[in-house]
Amino acid sequence: VFSVNPYVMDTRMQEDIRNSEDSQFPQKARFVKFKTESQLLAPKIVANSILDLINDADYFDFKFDVKTYLDQTKTSNHG
């Protein structure tokens, strides 16, 4: 089984959520907080991490979480 959790990415959808009315999206504050606290990952960083994973067969035996992977490889140049 190959499963990837890309975490929450900084996409146009995220921007739309943050710009929505509170009544349109009850969890809006949560997503605004992700942005203000720099918790959103850039899609390019997520994509590069997944490509790194695909090219590293050692990672295929467990569920891959992009944020955890990035935290573990902060010294590499993923962003």
Side-chain angles (χ1 to χ4, degrees), residues 45-63:
I45 291 173
V46 173
N48 286 335
S49 296
I50 293 170
L51 288 173
D52 287 348
L53 167 68
I54 290 168
N55 290 314
D56 189 346
D58 291 339
Y59 282 102
F60 282 101
D61 290 334
F62 68 91
K63 180 181 173 191

Side-chain angles (χ1 to χ4, degrees), residues 12-72:
R12 169 116 187 202
M13 184 174 71
Q14 289 294 323
E15 184 179 345
D16 289 346
I17 289 169
R18 292 190 305 272
N19 292 327
S20 69
E21 297 294 324
D22 292 347
S23 61
Q24 292 176 304
F25 197 82
Q27 293 187 27
K28 175 184 172 180
R30 177 176 174 229
F31 290 91
V32 168
K33 186 176 176 181
F34 282 142
K35 181 69 171 181
T36 59
E37 294 182 357
S38 300
Q39 295 292 315
L40 298 174
L41 298 174
K44 185 174 182 176
I45 291 173
V46 173
N48 286 335
S49 296
I50 293 170
L51 288 173
D52 287 348
L53 167 68
I54 290 168
N55 290 314
D56 189 346
D58 291 339
Y59 282 102
F60 282 101
D61 290 334
F62 68 91
K63 180 181 173 191
F64 180 72
D65 178 273
V66 170
K67 185 168 185 329
T68 300
Y69 177 78
L70 289 171
D71 290 345
Q72 292 172 355

